[in-house]
């Protein structure tokens, strides 16, 4: 059974810092990996999706990498801003026809002004 | 991008009653829909997967008679929580997958259920 772990569980940084969030998964037979942002009491906002054949994806100040063989992904946020404060979730999608997502427990990020 | 809506966004019901939550894909055909629940400060847990016109597949530990899922059309799935109890209070999120790509899930905004 796939297990997804995110470290750290919580992170507090001053504005302007670059930071890295980590995600690891136990079964490397994945179809893709996705990073989401969730604000309190809200749904999910998709940030980046990396296909299993890709090594990284970039969008603005965000860069996500994927090392499928080692079961790891990182989300790099450059020049953090208070508006980046949220919970960040990574999720891996199962290979095969089912396509279910397994979520990590999230990293709660606070960017201090 | 693909848009998924949920209705209602929040609902309060009394213990013992049933409540229905709708999930709609607004601008694409959703061949598969997923239902998740999320407890405070926890991650999303998949409850069930439904394919249009078929019975839902429930994850281990999810009571299919309590959480009724219907996916009768390519744009609508419903989750009915029957005989709700306070422990069913949670945040319920749906996602939908379909045309044009068949791998990316698009998430609804969630429904906050409080059972009193």
């Amino acid at each position: 059974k796939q297990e997804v772990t995110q470290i750290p569980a919580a992170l507090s940084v001053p504005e302007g810092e670059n930071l890295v969030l980590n995600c690891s998964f136990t079964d490397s037979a994945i179809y893709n990996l996705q990073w989401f942002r969730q604000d309190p009491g809200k749904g999910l906002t998709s940030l980046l999706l990396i296909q299993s054949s890709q090594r990284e994806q970039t969008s603005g100040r965000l860069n996500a990498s994927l090392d499928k063989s080692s079961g790891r992904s990182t989300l790099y946020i450059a020049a953090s801003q208070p508006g980046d404060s949220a919970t960040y979730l990574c999720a891996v999608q199962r290979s095969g026809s089912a396509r279910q997502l397994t979520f990590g427990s999230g990293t709660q990020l606070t960017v201090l002004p | 991008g693909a848009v998924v809506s949920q209705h209602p966004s929040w609902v309060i019901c009394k213990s013992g009653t049933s409540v229905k939550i709708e999930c709609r894909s607004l601008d694409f055909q959703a061949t598969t829909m997923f239902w998740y629940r999320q407890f405070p400060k926890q991650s999303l847990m998949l409850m069930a997967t439904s394919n249009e016109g078929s019975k839902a597949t429930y994850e281990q530990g999810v009571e299919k008679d309590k959480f009724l899922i219907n996916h009768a059309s390519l744009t609508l799935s419903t989750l009915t929580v029957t005989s709700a109890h306070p422990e069913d209070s949670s945040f319920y999120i749906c996602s939908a997958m379909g045309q044009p790509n068949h791998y990316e899930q698009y998430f609804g905004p969630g429904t906050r259920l409080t059972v009193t």
Side-chain angles (χ1 to χ4, degrees):
Chain A
K1 181 183 173 183
Q2 179 74 272
E3 292 183 5
V4 181
T5 303
Q6 289 187 246
I7 295 173
L11 180 64
S12 183
V13 300
E15 182 177 5
E17 268 202 14
N18 303 325
L19 58 101
V20 175
L21 307 182
N22 297 291
C23 172
S24 62
F25 47 95
T26 55
D27 185 350
S28 62
I30 64 170
Y31 191 75
N32 62 45
L33 182 145
Q34 204 163 355
W35 283 93
F36 296 89
R37 169 188 173 135
Q38 186 176 31
D39 292 291
K42 304 292 186 182
L44 303 182
T45 300
S46 178
L47 299 174
L48 291 164
L49 183 151
I50 311 176
Q51 298 281 15
S52 62
S53 58
Q54 299 174 320
R55 298 214 32 110
E56 66 176 341
Q57 283 284 338
T58 298
S59 176
R61 294 183 293 109
L62 306 179
N63 176 278
S65 68
L66 173 64
D67 184 341
K68 202 173 77 161
S69 60
S70 68
R72 296 178 187 274
S73 175
T74 61
L75 178 67
Y76 174 82
I77 302 177
S80 58
Q81 303 170 357
D84 295 331
S85 298
T87 296
Y88 290 81
L89 296 162
C90 79
V92 296
Q93 189 170 50
R94 191 180 298 179
S95 292
S97 61
R99 300 278 192 262
Q100 283 96 342
L101 287 173
T102 301
F103 283 83
S105 52
T107 293
Q108 185 173 357
L109 173 66
T110 303
V111 181
L112 304 168
Chain B
V3 180
V4 176
S5 69
Q6 279 184 244
H7 179 80
S9 56
W10 60 270
V11 58
I12 301 173
C13 70
K14 292 189 176 180
S15 187
T17 62
S18 296
V19 61
K20 180 184 287 188
I21 302 170
E22 293 185 349
C23 176
R24 292 182 185 272
S25 56
L26 299 185
D27 51 3
F28 68 101
Q29 293 187 327
T31 50
T32 305
M33 286 185 166
F34 303 86
W35 287 94
Y36 299 84
R37 69 186 297 182
Q38 184 178 35
F39 291 108
K41 299 204 180 292
Q42 294 187 25
S43 192
L44 279 74
M45 297 297 294
L46 178 66
M47 298 175 67
T49 303
S50 73
N51 293 297
E52 185 265 337
S54 303
K55 285 185 178 180
T57 301
Y58 291 80
E59 295 297 302
Q60 192 172 8
V62 177
E63 299 174 61
K64 60 181 66 176
D65 293 331
K66 180 167 188 62
F67 298 99
L68 302 180
I69 292 171
N70 182 283
H71 189 171
S73 79
L74 285 171
T75 60
L76 174 65
S77 176
T78 60
L79 167 67
T80 301
V81 182
T82 63
S83 186
H85 291 284
E87 57 265 32
D88 298 325
S89 298
S90 187
F91 193 53
Y92 292 87
I93 304 178
C94 73
S95 69
M97 189 169 71
Q99 301 284 358
N101 68 57
H102 292 272
Y103 59 85
E104 186 163 3
Q105 292 184 27
Y106 300 95
F107 284 79
T111 296
R112 172 74 58 194
L113 169 64
T114 301
V115 184
T116 60

